[in-house]
Amino acid sequence: MAKDGAKSQEDYKLKDMKPDLGEKWPHGGQRGGSGWISSERVASTYDLVEQMFYLYVRVVKAKDLPPNPVTSNCDPYVEVKIGNYKGKTKHFEKRTNPEWNQVFAFSKDKIQSSTVEVFVRDKEMVTRDDYIGKVVFDMHEIPTRVPPDSPLAPQWYRLEARRGEGKKRGEVMVAVWLGTQADEAFPDAWHSDASSVQGEGVQSVRSKVYVSPKLWYLRVNVIEAQDVEPSDRSQPPQAFVKVQVGNQILKTKLCPNKTTSPMWNEDLVFVAAEPFEEQFFLTVENKVSSAKDEVMGRLISPLNAFEKRLDHRAVHSKWYNLEKFGFGALEGDKRHELKFSSRIHLRVCLEGGYHVMDESTLYISDVKPTARQLWKKPIGILEVGILSAQGLSPMKTKDGKATTDPYCVAKYGQKWVRTRTIIESFSPKWNEQYMWEVYDPCTVITLGVFDNCHLGGSEKSNNGAKVDARIGKVRIRLSTLEADRIYTHSYPLLVLQTKGLKKMGEVQLAVRFTCLSLAHMIYLYGHPLLPKMHYLHPFTVNQLDSLRYQAMSIVAARLARAEPPLRKEIVEYMLDVDSHMWSMRRSKANFFRIVSVFSSLIAMSKWLGDVCHWKNPLTTILFHVLFFILICYPELILPTAFLYMFLIGLWSFRFRPRHPPHMDTKISWAEAATADELDEEFDTFPTSKGQDVVKMRYDRLRSVAGRIQMVVGDIATQGERFQALLSWRDPRATCLFVIMCLVAAMVLYVTPFKIVALAGGMYWMRHPKFRSKMPSAPSNFFRKLPSKADMML
């Protein structure tokens, strides 16, 4: 059992790799006689991934195609064939000069044919497709395109007829070349390893780059309203304001007075995304009863109409006329006959000085404010090579066979990247490289691996849902990386499920952080993480939680509208939308994190206790000598402390971490969590469990909360005893303390501080022969002071 536990711990650790990175071209290419690139890096260099060669065939168009002698029409399409691999363009109806402009990519490692055949065929609905002509290319004569060369120019080729027929068959424009995944044609090309994907699924297998929408905070300061009238004019209204922006609805408090001119002076904050598609919808309502609200007026405005604020300057308030609810629809133009109109006093602005957070500050990847003119220059470049994965678990069944169609998503700042999907592979090789600008080193990049369940086939995920299943996630904090060093590691993909912790495989990454300005980066360490508006006009904790959820929902909705979509379940997993939910496992993990933080202080106190109890006489004597020196020369105390920390830092440099941090199962308390705790963690909100289960968990939560309650009460008791020293709650104790303070003041006034410190230190470090096992008099005195615990019900 111990061996199995040690083996599982090894499986969960980071592993070093030595992949064959960099560009290497056949016959030496243009990068030097050895075949490797020179030391000078160019913009198009893919030096963090393993080189993968592809044969590219670009089919541009055809002309002068002969019509079918039977139908007198031509419905042409092109078929590219290399060995057993076939790729087809779409067909055009009744067109002799079609244009496709489509690229086919064939992995060179899987090519076993010596020729490339390009067929032009005529689509037939009933019989076999007619052969129009073909062009054949010799694999040994295909040129190699080396970036950053311009794209290879396509050429017209005459189509060869079958069996040496001399009849003219038309021409096709084609370009054929050998390249790598660095080629600009690679992302949008048809890939031979995804030839089984048809229909709408073709788009979902391609690699794409996404950009999060530009988010703004919309601050609405509701000041007051005038001349609001309910339908029953005999009773003054008890008014409140409801504001809606998209799916977000917020309300002010009820005006404490029933009046036609209510006042609130409340701030309501929303999240809005550019381009502003939602309307600003405000209603002033009357609280008629607990179950009935009456609309007395409304205001509709586009978000573009409001001022954009970049700093903390005051925004001018404005009066807005309220539309009488119902007049326009029920009474025609009678609203124009009104001499007086209800109006509302608002101060509305779009906040550009904040960073709209869609992820937790604990692993935030972007700290820039919304307004671009407030951005600083980047301090570095982050480059990530997504190499491959190994040993992935089967995620679904397709045609009765367990399989996985994996792809990787990386998120840093506003830029999301998605690799292509490798069809039916437990060991996919992506070898795609991406780059991000870095504006603060204390940020985190998140990478997740998912299973594509939207390929248009008969696949069915293991949980039965038509969602892209999560395989695992990796986070890397940039501040833990050394500059200009390439980190190549295999990261375990760990997922916590209701049945326990499971390793889903490993993902291989190559990471490099390049520092552009060391001085600027050091400068940032002394400045706050978020823009200054977060500190000048901070939001409450509840506001931040709500705004973060709204921002995440907007980002997920916008990215889901891309093609191919980055689906909601992916965005939620990458942004850790449920990290704030209660979990017994997380609570235990955080408790032991606190214990670990204070373990060094506890160890220091134990060591000092051993010194005081003379456990090691030599150590105690040396400590006495050091204490005497510091007493005689107090000006050495602070220099000695800082020198000691400097020496500890130098000594620790030898044992510094050599790899980036990764998901730690021990810190996460993942392996020790019980089945019921995991079942509770993955429960829905609100709960979907039965009454007995909920009752048991509620009782367990009450017992845990009871222990926390006792600890909090003990802390409060100690604080109240300190207050009782001078509060005269216990007149005799306070009198004694006041007299002791007077005596201490007189003694300390006439006694040099060195003598007092020396006497106190010698008393504290006295030999055990002179110690008593009973508590000291000051401790007894303090414990007998009154607290407010006896005043609680």
Side-chain angles (χ1 to χ4, degrees):
M1 292 294 291
K3 289 183 178 179
D4 292 341
K7 183 179 179 182
S8 64
Q9 283 295 326
E10 285 297 322
D11 287 342
Y12 298 154
K13 288 184 178 180
L14 211 61
K15 298 176 183 176
D16 286 320
M17 292 173 51
K18 292 183 179 180
D20 193 11
L21 304 182
E23 291 187 342
K24 192 173 184 180
W25 295 93
H27 317 299
Q30 297 183 6
R31 301 299 192 200
S34 64
W36 289 95
I37 64 169
S38 62
S39 59
E40 296 179 0
R41 292 171 53 198
V42 293
S44 63
T45 297
Y46 270 37
D47 61 340
L48 292 184
V49 292
E50 294 178 336
Q51 201 78 328
M52 298 176 68
F53 286 96
Y54 289 87
L55 179 70
Y56 291 97
V57 180
R58 182 187 296 276
V59 179
V60 184
K61 56 186 175 180
K63 67 179 180 179
D64 302 333
L65 299 180
N68 189 299
V70 178
T71 61
S72 300
N73 293 320
C74 183
D75 302 334
Y77 71 92
V78 172
E79 178 185 85
V80 180
K81 182 181 179 183
I82 303 179
N84 295 326
Y85 294 101
K86 294 180 182 180
K88 297 180 181 180
T89 67
K90 62 181 180 180
H91 78 278
F92 290 100
E93 294 184 359
K94 301 178 182 180
R95 193 176 299 182
T96 58
N97 297 307
E99 291 189 16
W100 295 282
N101 199 24
Q102 185 172 347
V103 180
F104 298 85
F106 299 86
S107 177
K108 189 174 182 295
D109 294 338
K110 299 178 181 180
I111 294 177
Q112 296 179 348
S113 175
S114 61
T115 59
V116 180
E117 298 175 293
V118 180
F119 295 90
V120 180
R121 301 185 188 275
D122 183 13
K123 184 76 173 178
E124 294 292 340
M125 300 302 296
V126 180
T127 61
R128 185 178 179 182
D129 295 345
D130 287 340
Y131 172 90
I132 296 177
K134 72 173 181 178
V135 179
V136 181
F137 298 91
D138 187 347
M139 284 286 295
H140 300 289
E141 301 299 328
I142 293 175
T144 299
R145 182 186 168 229
V146 182
D149 286 355
S150 298
L152 195 67
Q155 299 180 34
W156 286 106
Y157 294 91
R158 184 170 297 174
L159 294 171
E160 298 177 5
R162 184 181 291 160
R163 304 186 203 93
E165 297 176 3
K167 186 177 179 181
K168 186 177 180 182
R169 311 301 291 176
E171 297 181 28
V172 63
M173 180 180 282
V174 178
V176 183
W177 71 95
L178 186 67
T180 68
Q181 72 268 40
D183 201 294
E184 63 269 13
F186 178 81
D188 294 322
W190 174 95
H191 287 269
S192 57
D193 54 4
S195 57
S196 60
V197 181
Q198 303 294 333
E200 296 181 357
V202 173
Q203 286 291 333
S204 68
V205 302
R206 292 173 175 167
S207 57
K208 292 292 179 183
V209 175
Y210 305 82
V211 178
S212 294
K214 187 177 183 179
L215 300 177
W216 294 77
Y217 283 137
L218 176 69
R219 188 188 296 270
V220 182
N221 180 220
V222 183
I223 304 173
E224 59 179 328
Q226 289 184 354
D227 302 327
V228 291
E229 295 183 350
S231 56
D232 182 8
R233 300 190 178 184
S234 62
Q235 291 287 336
Q238 189 168 22
F240 68 94
V241 173
K242 181 171 73 174
V243 181
Q244 180 173 357
V245 178
N247 296 324
Q248 306 168 69
I249 300 176
L250 294 177
K251 299 177 182 179
T252 65
K253 296 178 182 177
L254 287 172
C255 180
N257 303 320
K258 291 188 175 183
T259 174
T260 58
S261 298
M263 296 187 67
W264 298 280
N265 198 23
E266 284 189 41
D267 269 0
L268 306 178
V269 185
F270 303 85
V271 179
E274 285 188 356
F276 299 123
E277 299 175 349
E278 296 85 5
Q279 294 275 343
F280 175 83
F281 189 86
L282 179 146
T283 56
V284 180
E285 302 185 17
N286 177 27
K287 193 72 175 177
V288 179
S289 65
S290 59
K292 182 181 179 182
D293 298 329
E294 175 197 8
V295 178
M296 298 182 291
R298 68 181 180 185
L299 169 67
I300 302 176
S301 173
L303 297 182
N304 285 321
F306 300 124
E307 182 181 352
K308 293 181 179 179
R309 182 171 72 165
L310 305 183
D311 50 24
H312 59 281
R313 62 182 174 83
V315 176
H316 297 294
S317 60
K318 290 178 64 177
W319 286 95
Y320 295 87
N321 290 330
L322 293 173
E323 177 184 344
K324 292 291 185 180
F325 192 75
F327 272 130
L330 301 177
E331 302 184 21
D333 290 328
K334 282 188 177 181
R335 57 186 174 179
H336 296 299
E337 300 175 8
L338 294 173
K339 294 182 179 179
F340 301 101
S341 173
S342 300
R343 59 179 189 164
I344 189 168
H345 194 194
L346 302 175
R347 184 180 287 110
V348 188
C349 68
L350 290 160
E351 299 278 12
Y354 290 88
H355 168 70
V356 181
M357 286 182 284
D358 56 359
E359 53 196 344
S360 171
T361 53
L362 298 178
Y363 27 81
I364 197 168
S365 66
D366 185 19
V367 294
K368 302 187 301 295
T370 298
R372 181 176 286 271
Q373 50 266 50
L374 298 179
W375 292 6
K376 307 295 184 181
K377 292 182 178 180
I379 56 99
I381 299 293
L382 173 66
E383 296 166 283
V384 177
I386 303 173
L387 304 178
S388 58
Q390 297 290 334
L392 297 183
S393 300
M395 302 300 296
K396 58 175 176 283
T397 56
K398 185 186 297 184
D399 300 327
K401 182 179 70 173
T403 184
T404 300
D405 301 319
Y407 66 93
C408 185
V409 175
K411 194 267 181 186
Y412 182 78
Q414 292 181 311
K415 180 179 175 181
W416 300 66
V417 300
R418 170 180 176 157
T419 66
R420 70 191 188 284
T421 300
I422 307 298
I423 306 300
E424 299 181 7
S425 176
F426 299 123
S427 299
K429 290 188 177 182
W430 294 292
N431 283 305
E432 299 183 25
Q433 183 171 337
Y434 298 95
M435 182 186 74
W436 288 266
E437 290 182 333
V438 178
Y439 291 85
D440 194 296
C442 302
T443 46
V444 177
I445 181 173
T446 305
L447 301 99
V449 181
F450 301 88
D451 175 52
N452 197 333
C453 290
H454 297 82
L455 301 179
S458 59
E459 67 269 5
K460 184 178 180 182
S461 61
N462 291 341
N463 58 10
K466 192 73 172 179
V467 296
D468 288 357
R470 56 185 69 168
I471 299 178
K473 180 167 57 178
V474 174
R475 293 195 200 100
I476 302 174
R477 183 170 291 274
L478 271 59
S479 59
T480 62
L481 304 178
E482 297 178 14
D484 301 315
R485 175 185 167 187
I486 298 178
Y487 291 83
T488 52
H489 292 96
S490 181
Y491 294 80
L493 295 172
L494 307 175
V495 171
L496 203 59
Q497 301 174 339
T498 53
K499 297 180 181 179
L501 180 68
K502 184 178 180 182
K503 181 179 177 181
M504 309 295 288
E506 297 179 358
V507 61
Q508 284 82 40
L509 303 174
V511 182
R512 176 173 57 209
F513 172 57
T514 305
C515 178
L516 300 179
S517 173
L518 181 60
H520 190 192
M521 185 163 62
I522 294 174
Y523 168 82
L524 287 176
Y525 271 94
H527 283 70
L529 181 68
L530 297 172
K532 63 179 182 180
M533 284 294 290
H534 286 269
Y535 308 96
L536 297 177
H537 294 283
F539 295 116
T540 64
V541 175
N542 290 336
Q543 275 183 317
L544 283 175
D545 288 341
S546 174
L547 292 172
R548 181 195 165 200
Y549 178 78
Q550 297 298 338
M552 186 280 305
S553 300
I554 292 174
V555 170
R558 290 291 179 92
L559 293 179
R561 291 160 57 180
E563 185 60 39
L566 203 59
R567 302 183 186 277
K568 182 179 179 181
E569 63 268 18
I570 300 168
V571 176
E572 288 183 348
Y573 182 57
M574 297 290 287
L575 297 180
D576 277 303
V577 67
D578 57 350
S579 61
H580 65 287
M581 299 297 291
W582 159 259
S583 164
M584 180 68 77
R585 176 189 62 84
R586 286 199 190 104
S587 301
K588 289 180 179 179
N590 288 332
F591 171 76
F592 284 104
R593 285 173 61 198
I594 294 176
V595 172
S596 177
V597 167
F598 289 104
S599 61
S600 58
L601 296 177
I602 296 172
M604 177 63 73
S605 65
K606 286 183 177 179
W607 181 80
L608 290 175
D610 292 344
V611 168
C612 295
H613 288 84
W614 291 72
K615 292 291 181 66
N616 187 333
L618 180 60
T619 303
T620 304
I621 293 172
L622 291 176
F623 191 83
H624 277 74
V625 172
L626 177 62
F627 180 72
F628 275 110
I629 294 174
L630 294 179
I631 289 297
C632 296
Y633 304 97
E635 63 274 9
L636 296 179
I637 294 177
L638 288 179
T640 302
F642 284 108
L643 180 62
Y644 183 65
M645 287 189 285
F646 170 76
L647 294 175
I648 291 177
L650 286 184
W651 178 260
S652 302
F653 181 77
R654 299 171 55 197
F655 312 103
R656 68 190 185 280
R658 301 288 181 172
H659 54 75
H662 65 289
M663 303 291 184
D664 193 310
T665 57
K666 189 175 181 181
I667 292 178
S668 304
W669 208 251
E671 295 179 276
T674 65
D676 184 67
E677 290 173 352
L678 293 175
D679 186 60
E680 179 185 24
E681 183 170 341
F682 289 100
D683 191 12
T684 57
F685 187 85
T687 182
S688 58
K689 300 298 179 182
Q691 182 177 356
D692 293 339
V693 175
V694 174
K695 182 177 181 297
M696 180 271 294
R697 290 176 179 171
Y698 176 65
D699 290 340
R700 182 178 63 192
L701 185 61
R702 287 179 65 189
S703 66
V704 173
R707 291 194 292 270
I708 297 173
Q709 174 183 290
M710 291 297 297
V711 173
V712 173
D714 289 341
I715 295 173
T717 296
Q718 305 307 320
E720 289 164 355
R721 285 173 176 168
F722 270 109
Q723 293 177 340
L725 287 171
L726 296 172
S727 67
W728 295 93
R729 168 61 65 183
D730 183 341
R732 284 169 293 279
T734 303
C735 182
L736 283 172
F737 182 72
V738 168
I739 293 173
M740 283 190 296
C741 289
L742 177 62
V743 173
M746 296 171 62
V747 171
L748 293 175
Y749 179 76
V750 299
T751 307
F753 177 76
K754 292 182 180 181
I755 302 298
V756 175
L758 181 62
M762 295 301 295
Y763 177 78
W764 177 61
M765 293 185 292
R766 67 192 184 279
H767 197 274
K769 291 182 179 180
F770 305 104
R771 292 180 183 273
S772 171
K773 293 184 179 181
M774 300 298 293
S776 63
S779 175
N780 294 330
F781 178 78
F782 182 77
R783 289 176 183 175
K784 290 184 177 181
L785 290 171
S787 69
K788 296 180 181 178
D790 52 344
M791 299 170 60
M792 294 185 63
L793 292 174

